[in-house]
Amino acid sequence: MSAAPEIEHVDILVIGAGPAGLAAAASTASAGLTTLLVDENASPGGQIYRRITRSPFVDAAILGDDYWEGRPLVADFEASGAAFCGETQVWSLDATRRVGMSHKGRSRFVQAERVIIATGAQERPFPIPGWTLPGVMSVGAAQTVLKASALVPDGRLVIAGQGPLIWLYAAQHLRAGGTIEAILDTTPRANYLAALPLLPQFIGSRYALKGARLMREVARKTRIVRHVDALRAEGEDRVSAIRYRVGKKESRIETDILLLHQGVIPHVNLAMAAGVAHRWDERQACFAPVLDPFGQSAIDGIAIAGDGAGIGGAEAAAERGRLAAWAAIKALRPQVEDKVPPVEEILKALAGAEKGRAFLDRLFLPRKQFRVPVEDDTIVCRCEEVTAGAIRQAIKIGAAGPNQLKAYLRCGMGPCQGRLCGLTVTELIAAERAISQDETGYYRLRMPVKPITLGELAAIEPDARAVSAVVRE
Amino acid sequence: MFRRIASANAEMVMIEVDGVPVTARRGESVAAALLASGLSIARETPVGGVPRTPYCMMGVCFDCLVTIDGIGSRQGCLVSVEDGMRVSIQKGRRALA
Ligand code: FES
């Protein structure tokens, strides 16, 4: 690994340094392809292995074994000769694989033979009344500051939602000396029954035993309220309480910090803006890119690996990274193909890593009312402060899809570019108009997918192509 | 909103938040340093003037926008603290400089 070089042309550009990106970059670089891995964070690891190379923790037990399992991935990457550039935001990618990226306020373009998008997952929006109040954060956010900065919430803490991350974070938080007032588990009763037929598959997977152990560890020390079916965060200038309902019974807990989480979804912005087709995935209730078995999109030389290709977890992400790398090596250096692990081996490992996923998907499919807000005062678009009620009204008077909604309400036009409202808006329109999510579609995303200043754009050295476009002899 | 747990790998740096000196751990994000600062760090949104604090800490929500060394609307959760950095909390719409 070398320090941020000024590369203008590379064989392989990998975007995102989580398990998929690390594995992909290590494979292509080891095969002799010039490889650049970029990430928004300063050090590699992605969200799951956040700051693993520079962890502030002395006591490794707090974060647990699953976290430290990221070490060999990073070590392989560092030994591979691939370059890493951190604190780098990719803001454009087109079909010619010319990639615009910004690093510490300066932008440049890199031309790549192949691009592997490994931008991973983001947490699913969790639009409840009051979720914009100060003191309300996602569980992933709290886990990030725990891993990266060894911070724990100060004061009373309530966690609400569902999914494996809640139990993992709760256990880490307790080990770090924290306390939890209550976990409000929103997993619907019906999900347990629906997931039952998939249980045998799951039992044999590595998640089963670990998950059960984590839940027991947390339950010993924490009050758990199950089958919660409504949530409302209360407070004036910041959150002061959470109101919740189980069946007909309403209750309220005072709190200083409220953490929300209901699973993760592919982070689609860069791939969609580049023109990669996406389809609604019924099983995971989100949009996922249309890819061949090796992660290749219909755009020549652009592949997607890891959770951005559909949620599969860290282990599957690494295998999908290797798979995308294998396809890239085969295309660019067929002569070294026999020096890299055979594709059958990768496919087998991937199948193993994906075992049990269907059970988790079904068990943790969030309840409809937590995906499509029932109460009209719930903010859907956090940036432009647009409520579910306003969106329903706009649909009534003619807004047919997410893009028309922009014109009516500026919904999705704030700095986050729909990342925290896009899915909700699609599902809300689909529900109101009784049409499918595919028919409803998603926001049309455009470059730049991350905001950059005009000054930064203007300061990029023009290349020959740009000059010839405007200069006439 | 957050407190630091004891940790030996804690090389500290000093930043300034609206003129107030704040200690931060080298390598952490500006948003994390703010969360641990004990100060009231809520920005006010340009749309409704309502208070917000960081929500996602991974570059997605843009609720961590701050002015860093004079440059406005930077994502505090994606910028690492540096010694002497001057951070200010944004209130309402930013003036066009
Ligand atoms: S806290 Fe969400 S973008 Fe920074």
Side-chain angles (χ1 to χ4, degrees), chain A residues 175-323:
Chain A
R175 288 179 212 144
T179 56
I180 303 170
E181 301 296 306
I183 294 179
L184 308 178
D185 185 342
T186 56
T187 317
R189 228 181 274 268
N191 281 20
Y192 289 93
L193 215 63
L196 206 57
L198 303 163
L199 186 63
Q201 270 278 341
F202 178 71
I203 292 287
S205 78
R206 62 194 299 261
Y207 302 110
L209 202 66
K210 277 189 196 164
R213 222 182 268 144
L214 272 179
M215 285 170 106
R216 236 178 303 140
E217 177 182 351
V218 173
R220 263 203 307 273
K221 294 184 184 163
T222 311
R223 176 175 161 222
I224 294 159
V225 182
R226 302 216 183 252
H227 314 303
V228 170
D229 42 28
L231 292 165
R232 172 180 286 269
E234 294 180 335
E236 280 300 316
D237 291 336
R238 52 165 304 125
V239 66
S240 57
I242 172 93
R243 201 177 272 285
Y244 64 94
R245 215 182 56 215
V246 181
K248 292 217 158 56
K249 189 168 170 279
E250 267 216 31
S251 317
R252 187 173 175 276
I253 308 177
E254 297 200 348
T255 191
D256 300 300
I257 303 267
L258 170 64
L259 300 180
L260 299 173
H261 176 81
Q262 54 175 350
V264 296
I265 55 172
H267 190 169
V268 296
N269 284 57
L270 181 65
M272 269 196 192
V276 176
H278 284 65
R279 291 265 172 290
W280 184 257
D281 179 335
E282 198 63 51
R283 206 179 86 185
Q284 299 192 331
C286 58
F287 284 102
V290 179
L291 304 169
D292 78 4
F294 305 102
Q296 312 300 303
S297 76
I299 304 175
D300 186 40
I302 297 184
I304 305 179
D307 275 356
I311 304 305
E315 219 183 300
E319 297 306 337
R320 290 202 213 147
R322 290 185 187 111
L323 209 50

Side-chain angles (χ1 to χ4, degrees), chain B residues 71-88:
Chain B
I71 300 169
S73 290
R74 313 236 3 233
Q75 282 177 281
C77 71
L78 294 182
V79 179
S80 300
V81 291
E82 267 161 44
D83 225 356
M85 203 172 232
R86 284 185 333 249
V87 178
S88 51

Side-chain angles (χ1 to χ4, degrees), chain A residues 56 145 148-154 176, chain B residues 2-7 10-13 15 22-26 28-30 32-37 81:
Chain A
V145 294
S149 301
L151 297 183
V152 292
D154 203 5
Chain B
F2 281 69
R3 62 183 168 80
R4 295 188 186 280
I5 61 177
S7 148
E11 192 194 335
M12 306 308 273
V13 298
I15 63 170
V22 163
T23 49
R25 184 174 283 141
R26 182 179 299 286
E28 74 184 354
S29 69
V30 169
L34 291 176
L35 287 171
S37 70
V81 291

